[in-house]
Amino acid sequence: MLKPEQVERILVRGVNWVGDAVMSLPALAALARACPDARIEVLARPWVAELYAMQPGVGRVLIIDEKGQNKGLGGMMRLVKNLRAPNYQWAILLQNAFKAAALAWLARIPTRIGYSRDGRGFLLTQAVPCPASIRKVHETAYYLNILHQVGLCPAPNPNGTTPELHLSAGALAWANEFLQRQNLSGPLLGLAPGASFGPAKCWPAQNYAAAARELAQKRQMTVLIFGSAAEDAVARQVMEGLGNIKAINLCGALGLAQALALLSKLNLLLTNDSGLMHAAAALGAPTLAIFGSTNPQTTRPLGPKVTLLRKPLDCSPCLKPACPHGHMRCFWAITPEEVVRAASALLNNDEVR
């Protein structure tokens, strides 16, 4: 059995995508509670580093960048050398990959904890079983179960634990200054019409435009469109459909900390199943999530002000990046009128609070 009182330094291999990182936060918080005297450091990809760095209990974030400083065998061995220097006692591997376990083993971290999957069990000192049943729980419970199985936290709720996503004072100050510069003092409607997984996660752009146009006109809202640079094309399609509604396309224009801070200022986010969806829900922003190909049992957003819309078809959730049948009925069956009604109810409920 692990002895938290004897550990001084822990390396956590964070997960690679924004939504997954948000859903890993309950496990990170549980680890900090279990080991209050240990210094916890997180190894993460560049695009999620800011999120992890803002969380209480995280002493430092180290970057793993396989397209930059850690490219090739030489770059990975430099990373291994850097991981040896701090003398970590434990490595908690939230990421499932074989490489995560190999790095911890090469770095000579004596206690290596993670799921026994992807052929990496022999590299772990605490190999946590990963039966089919644990892959069906909410992803927050999936990460917490790693700690539970080694005695570091109670058994998680299989339906999930709401993440607590913290923002830095600097990020919040930037958001306030941005809104002042743009003269945005009224209600804000956020849209996240893209998704990195593929088109089967994306409600059609023309539907986003139709729903947002009606909501913005009725409630005098300014529209902010969020996403990466790769999602700029769909954002432009939405912009074209908004007509004379005041809107700002922010795709590719913000760092992650800036985007998260602006999400916290929204009166409503209308979104696909995406990383920004999980972040907005965790921040307490009213969030209307539209699901198609993905499974709400494992990845639904958790937060105090969340509504989820989906049509339960025989072929959904298919978990495919593109519709295998070519019809996208799981999304086309959700109309802009339904979205406006659900959004209005969510906004009205928030106003009552």
PDB file of all heavy atoms in Angstrom, residues 167-177 257 260-262 264-265:
ATOM      1  N   LEU A 167      -9.102  29.714 -12.515  1.00  0.00           N
ATOM      2  CA  LEU A 167      -8.463  30.639 -13.444  1.00  0.00           C
ATOM      3  C   LEU A 167      -7.541  31.568 -12.670  1.00  0.00           C
ATOM      4  O   LEU A 167      -7.781  31.884 -11.506  1.00  0.00           O
ATOM      5  CB  LEU A 167      -9.516  31.467 -14.183  1.00  0.00           C
ATOM      6  CG  LEU A 167     -10.569  30.680 -14.985  1.00  0.00           C
ATOM      7  CD1 LEU A 167     -11.566  31.640 -15.609  1.00  0.00           C
ATOM      8  CD2 LEU A 167      -9.915  29.811 -16.038  1.00  0.00           C
ATOM      9  N   SER A 168      -6.501  32.023 -13.332  1.00  0.00           N
ATOM     10  CA  SER A 168      -5.557  32.940 -12.679  1.00  0.00           C
ATOM     11  C   SER A 168      -6.133  34.357 -12.670  1.00  0.00           C
ATOM     12  O   SER A 168      -6.968  34.725 -13.506  1.00  0.00           O
ATOM     13  CB  SER A 168      -4.224  32.931 -13.413  1.00  0.00           C
ATOM     14  OG  SER A 168      -4.353  33.531 -14.698  1.00  0.00           O
ATOM     15  N   ALA A 169      -5.660  35.155 -11.719  1.00  0.00           N
ATOM     16  CA  ALA A 169      -6.088  36.556 -11.651  1.00  0.00           C
ATOM     17  C   ALA A 169      -5.696  37.296 -12.926  1.00  0.00           C
ATOM     18  O   ALA A 169      -6.437  38.162 -13.412  1.00  0.00           O
ATOM     19  CB  ALA A 169      -5.463  37.231 -10.428  1.00  0.00           C
ATOM     20  N   GLY A 170      -4.541  36.934 -13.482  1.00  0.00           N
ATOM     21  CA  GLY A 170      -4.093  37.586 -14.707  1.00  0.00           C
ATOM     22  C   GLY A 170      -5.011  37.297 -15.879  1.00  0.00           C
ATOM     23  O   GLY A 170      -5.314  38.193 -16.680  1.00  0.00           O
ATOM     24  N   ALA A 171      -5.467  36.053 -16.000  1.00  0.00           N
ATOM     25  CA  ALA A 171      -6.377  35.699 -17.093  1.00  0.00           C
ATOM     26  C   ALA A 171      -7.707  36.419 -16.952  1.00  0.00           C
ATOM     27  O   ALA A 171      -8.268  36.924 -17.936  1.00  0.00           O
ATOM     28  CB  ALA A 171      -6.581  34.188 -17.128  1.00  0.00           C
ATOM     29  N   LEU A 172      -8.234  36.500 -15.742  1.00  0.00           N
ATOM     30  CA  LEU A 172      -9.503  37.184 -15.526  1.00  0.00           C
ATOM     31  C   LEU A 172      -9.376  38.679 -15.791  1.00  0.00           C
ATOM     32  O   LEU A 172     -10.284  39.300 -16.362  1.00  0.00           O
ATOM     33  CB  LEU A 172      -9.992  36.935 -14.102  1.00  0.00           C
ATOM     34  CG  LEU A 172     -10.457  35.502 -13.817  1.00  0.00           C
ATOM     35  CD1 LEU A 172     -10.677  35.291 -12.327  1.00  0.00           C
ATOM     36  CD2 LEU A 172     -11.731  35.181 -14.593  1.00  0.00           C
ATOM     37  N   ALA A 173      -8.246  39.266 -15.400  1.00  0.00           N
ATOM     38  CA  ALA A 173      -8.023  40.687 -15.671  1.00  0.00           C
ATOM     39  C   ALA A 173      -7.963  40.937 -17.172  1.00  0.00           C
ATOM     40  O   ALA A 173      -8.504  41.930 -17.675  1.00  0.00           O
ATOM     41  CB  ALA A 173      -6.734  41.149 -14.995  1.00  0.00           C
ATOM     42  N   TRP A 174      -7.310  40.024 -17.898  1.00  0.00           N
ATOM     43  CA  TRP A 174      -7.252  40.169 -19.359  1.00  0.00           C
ATOM     44  C   TRP A 174      -8.653  40.147 -19.949  1.00  0.00           C
ATOM     45  O   TRP A 174      -8.982  40.944 -20.851  1.00  0.00           O
ATOM     46  CB  TRP A 174      -6.418  39.050 -19.984  1.00  0.00           C
ATOM     47  CG  TRP A 174      -6.418  39.150 -21.480  1.00  0.00           C
ATOM     48  CD1 TRP A 174      -5.565  39.839 -22.261  1.00  0.00           C
ATOM     49  CD2 TRP A 174      -7.394  38.558 -22.361  1.00  0.00           C
ATOM     50  NE1 TRP A 174      -5.929  39.734 -23.581  1.00  0.00           N
ATOM     51  CE2 TRP A 174      -7.044  38.956 -23.668  1.00  0.00           C
ATOM     52  CE3 TRP A 174      -8.508  37.750 -22.165  1.00  0.00           C
ATOM     53  CZ2 TRP A 174      -7.784  38.563 -24.791  1.00  0.00           C
ATOM     54  CZ3 TRP A 174      -9.256  37.361 -23.273  1.00  0.00           C
ATOM     55  CH2 TRP A 174      -8.893  37.758 -24.569  1.00  0.00           C
ATOM     56  N   ALA A 175      -9.507  39.231 -19.492  1.00  0.00           N
ATOM     57  CA  ALA A 175     -10.869  39.132 -20.022  1.00  0.00           C
ATOM     58  C   ALA A 175     -11.646  40.415 -19.771  1.00  0.00           C
ATOM     59  O   ALA A 175     -12.364  40.908 -20.661  1.00  0.00           O
ATOM     60  CB  ALA A 175     -11.587  37.940 -19.396  1.00  0.00           C
ATOM     61  N   ASN A 176     -11.523  40.978 -18.586  1.00  0.00           N
ATOM     62  CA  ASN A 176     -12.221  42.233 -18.285  1.00  0.00           C
ATOM     63  C   ASN A 176     -11.735  43.358 -19.196  1.00  0.00           C
ATOM     64  O   ASN A 176     -12.532  44.151 -19.708  1.00  0.00           O
ATOM     65  CB  ASN A 176     -12.009  42.612 -16.818  1.00  0.00           C
ATOM     66  CG  ASN A 176     -12.762  41.692 -15.870  1.00  0.00           C
ATOM     67  OD1 ASN A 176     -13.811  41.154 -16.217  1.00  0.00           O
ATOM     68  ND2 ASN A 176     -12.232  41.507 -14.676  1.00  0.00           N
ATOM     69  N   GLU A 177     -10.425  43.419 -19.412  1.00  0.00           N
ATOM     70  CA  GLU A 177      -9.866  44.454 -20.291  1.00  0.00           C
ATOM     71  C   GLU A 177     -10.327  44.252 -21.734  1.00  0.00           C
ATOM     72  O   GLU A 177     -10.635  45.221 -22.440  1.00  0.00           O
ATOM     73  CB  GLU A 177      -8.338  44.426 -20.216  1.00  0.00           C
ATOM     74  CG  GLU A 177      -7.785  44.883 -18.874  1.00  0.00           C
ATOM     75  CD  GLU A 177      -6.294  44.594 -18.728  1.00  0.00           C
ATOM     76  OE1 GLU A 177      -5.679  44.125 -19.715  1.00  0.00           O
ATOM     77  OE2 GLU A 177      -5.755  44.833 -17.633  1.00  0.00           O
ATOM     78  N   ALA A 257      -5.686  30.153 -21.731  1.00  0.00           N
ATOM     79  CA  ALA A 257      -6.090  30.853 -20.510  1.00  0.00           C
ATOM     80  C   ALA A 257      -7.026  32.011 -20.833  1.00  0.00           C
ATOM     81  O   ALA A 257      -7.987  32.276 -20.101  1.00  0.00           O
ATOM     82  CB  ALA A 257      -4.858  31.348 -19.758  1.00  0.00           C
ATOM     83  N   LEU A 260     -10.501  30.538 -21.728  1.00  0.00           N
ATOM     84  CA  LEU A 260     -11.206  30.077 -20.526  1.00  0.00           C
ATOM     85  C   LEU A 260     -11.754  31.257 -19.734  1.00  0.00           C
ATOM     86  O   LEU A 260     -12.878  31.204 -19.217  1.00  0.00           O
ATOM     87  CB  LEU A 260     -10.262  29.254 -19.655  1.00  0.00           C
ATOM     88  CG  LEU A 260      -9.726  27.945 -20.262  1.00  0.00           C
ATOM     89  CD1 LEU A 260      -8.777  27.259 -19.286  1.00  0.00           C
ATOM     90  CD2 LEU A 260     -10.853  27.009 -20.647  1.00  0.00           C
ATOM     91  N   ALA A 261     -10.971  32.332 -19.644  1.00  0.00           N
ATOM     92  CA  ALA A 261     -11.432  33.503 -18.898  1.00  0.00           C
ATOM     93  C   ALA A 261     -12.654  34.132 -19.558  1.00  0.00           C
ATOM     94  O   ALA A 261     -13.594  34.554 -18.875  1.00  0.00           O
ATOM     95  CB  ALA A 261     -10.296  34.516 -18.779  1.00  0.00           C
ATOM     96  N   LEU A 262     -12.675  34.192 -20.892  1.00  0.00           N
ATOM     97  CA  LEU A 262     -13.848  34.728 -21.579  1.00  0.00           C
ATOM     98  C   LEU A 262     -15.056  33.813 -21.431  1.00  0.00           C
ATOM     99  O   LEU A 262     -16.191  34.284 -21.313  1.00  0.00           O
ATOM    100  CB  LEU A 262     -13.541  34.956 -23.056  1.00  0.00           C
ATOM    101  CG  LEU A 262     -12.787  36.235 -23.424  1.00  0.00           C
ATOM    102  CD1 LEU A 262     -12.584  36.311 -24.928  1.00  0.00           C
ATOM    103  CD2 LEU A 262     -13.523  37.480 -22.929  1.00  0.00           C
ATOM    104  N   SER A 264     -15.846  32.205 -18.875  1.00  0.00           N
ATOM    105  CA  SER A 264     -16.420  32.460 -17.549  1.00  0.00           C
ATOM    106  C   SER A 264     -17.304  33.704 -17.524  1.00  0.00           C
ATOM    107  O   SER A 264     -18.077  33.898 -16.581  1.00  0.00           O
ATOM    108  CB  SER A 264     -15.304  32.590 -16.505  1.00  0.00           C
ATOM    109  OG  SER A 264     -14.623  33.831 -16.629  1.00  0.00           O
ATOM    110  N   LYS A 265     -17.209  34.549 -18.551  1.00  0.00           N
ATOM    111  CA  LYS A 265     -17.995  35.783 -18.617  1.00  0.00           C
ATOM    112  C   LYS A 265     -19.286  35.627 -19.416  1.00  0.00           C
ATOM    113  O   LYS A 265     -20.093  36.554 -19.479  1.00  0.00           O
ATOM    114  CB  LYS A 265     -17.152  36.895 -19.263  1.00  0.00           C
ATOM    115  CG  LYS A 265     -15.828  37.178 -18.578  1.00  0.00           C
ATOM    116  CD  LYS A 265     -16.011  37.749 -17.191  1.00  0.00           C
ATOM    117  CE  LYS A 265     -14.673  38.089 -16.551  1.00  0.00           C
ATOM    118  NZ  LYS A 265     -14.840  38.649 -15.175  1.00  0.00           N
TER     119      LYS A 265
END
